[in-house]
Amino acid sequence: MSGRDVTSEAPTASAGKALPSGERRPRPVAGIAPRLHERAFDILASQIASGALAPGERLLESRVAERFGISRAPARQALARLERVGLVRRSEGHGFEVMPLAGPAPAVPSVDVSGVAPIQLAPESTWQRIYADVEQEVVSRTALGAFRVVENHLAAYYGVSRTVAREVLSRLNQRGVVRKDARLHWYAPALTPAYVAELFEMRAILEPAALRLAFPRLAPGQVATLLANLRDAAAHPDAVDGARLGALETELHVGLLGRCGNATLMEALATCQTLLVALTFLYVRAPQPHGREPFIAEHLDVAERLAAADVEGAANALRDHLRGSFGRAVERLDRVRREFTPGPLPYLSPL
């Protein structure tokens, strides 16, 4: 806790300030420190509102208690209050899940969390430890063709249970990386030009709509940070590697659009996200010959229009960017097919 007891500091918010649900904060008694559950609530609510705790993050009562050095009773009270004001919901397993903001960033206590260590709210699950590797291996091969993904072979290869393997495949399905065929077998569809065209067409329809909804809900400084990162990448193209290109793609297409507040729209967009995973792989395997990525200038156009509050112009620029990206993606896929020969994996069978 960096030498600070975050459970004993006085809140900086004014007494009686309204919360998202209309609930009012209890008025503190002069000279008395806030109750433990109030302090935990203040910090968590502030981090959710700012985006430091992203939608989908899971909060476990035991981890909140451990992080704040409090018992589980006040941790339970803090989480229950977050649920009442609509910042979290009970997850299907156990614990709570951070909700996407359904409107402008809510009025929550202004808490100084500088110097407070990041909160690790839930231990990493087994599926999370292998997910990124599986995703990369599967997507990198879909440039070459379609593959069946064999669940029990996946489990054996990574030394995990079939339940864990099934969770990984379910998450890949949510990202559009794998599907189930008529016989309920998992498979990864090939990134053919026709399929890539369909994905880009869907993104060109959905992403501008998400951008329009997201703009009034963006966290303070989010556009400025996006703009700074893009300008730095444009100024130093030789220092931008495949991983950073992938991060720049994600910052706009996932981080910013994810603030749209429309869960159904984001669910539809998620099925097209296999392209974002594939593009990260393609940036490494088939970089631009002259080191300059056209999408950086296109993202910069979107960000500059957002900074000028030209939301419609930004949405149109985003649509044009996606339409122009199709040809570049297909060209990269062709290069990978000619140059990339991945080794066999026991859980992937070519179709």
Side-chain angles (χ1 to χ4, degrees):
M1 296 230 190
S2 305
R4 301 175 63 192
D5 179 3
V6 299
T7 66
S8 62
E9 298 174 4
T12 59
S14 60
K17 186 172 185 177
L19 293 164
S21 66
E23 175 185 355
R24 305 200 68 83
R25 288 179 49 78
R27 186 177 300 276
V29 178
I32 297 180
R35 296 178 181 177
L36 300 179
H37 69 84
E38 292 174 4
R39 181 60 184 169
F41 169 85
D42 286 353
I43 292 179
L44 293 172
S46 178
Q47 294 193 336
I48 292 170
S50 70
L53 286 176
E57 176 79 65
R58 192 158 57 95
L59 284 64
L60 300 181
E61 179 181 301
S62 59
R63 298 295 292 179
V64 171
E66 177 184 344
R67 171 60 185 86
F68 288 102
I70 58 180
S71 70
R72 294 183 67 155
R76 188 180 308 123
Q77 287 178 282
L79 290 168
R81 190 170 172 205
L82 289 171
E83 183 183 28
R84 285 199 304 273
V85 300
L87 294 178
V88 302
R89 66 180 177 191
R90 292 185 185 274
S91 65
E92 293 181 1
H94 63 291
F96 295 79
E97 181 180 324
V98 175
M99 294 285 288
L101 297 179
V108 298
S110 174
V111 179
D112 179 12
V113 294
S114 60
V116 178
I119 301 173
Q120 183 181 355
L121 295 166
E124 189 176 53
S125 301
T126 303
W127 73 265
Q128 292 174 306
R129 292 198 290 271
I130 68 172
Y131 177 86
D133 189 60
V134 177
E135 181 183 69
Q136 188 65 40
E137 295 288 6
V138 173
V139 170
S140 65
R141 286 162 174 78
T142 56
L144 309 177
F147 287 81
R148 182 184 171 194
V149 189
V150 186
E151 181 182 292
N152 59 327
H153 293 175
L154 174 65
Y157 182 78
Y158 285 99
V160 298
S161 68
R162 290 192 64 173
T163 300
V164 170
R166 194 172 301 122
E167 179 68 17
V168 169
L169 291 170
S170 175
R171 301 281 175 165
L172 289 171
N173 177 245
Q174 292 172 10
R175 293 265 281 173
V177 175
V178 301
R179 299 176 177 177
K180 278 190 173 181
D181 61 20
R183 300 177 63 187
L184 300 182
H185 292 154
W186 292 108
Y187 77 100
L191 288 174
T192 63
Y195 182 43
V196 172
E198 290 178 0
L199 292 174
F200 270 111
E201 185 175 2
M202 285 295 296
R203 291 180 65 192
I205 294 170
L206 298 174
E207 291 197 18
L211 181 63
R212 293 183 184 97
L213 293 173
F215 181 73
R217 300 173 172 87
L218 296 179
Q222 191 167 358
V223 172
T225 299
L226 174 66
L227 198 55
N229 290 339
L230 289 166
R231 285 174 173 167
D232 181 71
H236 307 95
D238 294 337
V240 181
D241 58 11
R244 188 173 177 196
L245 290 171
L248 290 171
E249 289 271 31
T250 300
E251 188 174 16
L252 172 62
H253 295 292
V254 178
L256 192 146
L257 297 185
R259 305 284 294 193
C260 81
N262 186 319
T264 303
L265 176 56
M266 291 311 300
E267 184 177 343
L269 261 178
T271 62
C272 305
Q273 286 187 339
T274 182
L275 279 177
L276 294 180
V277 182
L279 287 172
T280 301
F281 166 72
L282 294 174
Y283 292 142
V284 176
R285 296 297 312 185
Q288 284 292 107
H290 304 295
R292 290 184 179 272
E293 287 294 337
F295 90 75
I296 293 177
E298 295 165 2
H299 279 208
L300 195 53
D301 185 25
V302 174
E304 287 173 342
R305 291 174 185 273
L306 289 175
D310 179 10
V311 182
E312 196 59 32
N316 291 335
L318 178 58
R319 180 199 60 211
D320 293 343
H321 154 63
L322 291 167
R323 289 175 175 173
S325 297
F326 166 68
R328 298 194 295 264
V330 169
E331 187 274 333
R332 275 190 159 103
L333 287 166
D334 286 340
R335 288 170 58 192
V336 167
R337 291 187 189 100
R338 294 193 301 267
E339 302 169 6
F340 179 55
T341 307
L345 284 173
Y347 59 86
L348 295 176
S349 302
L351 294 175

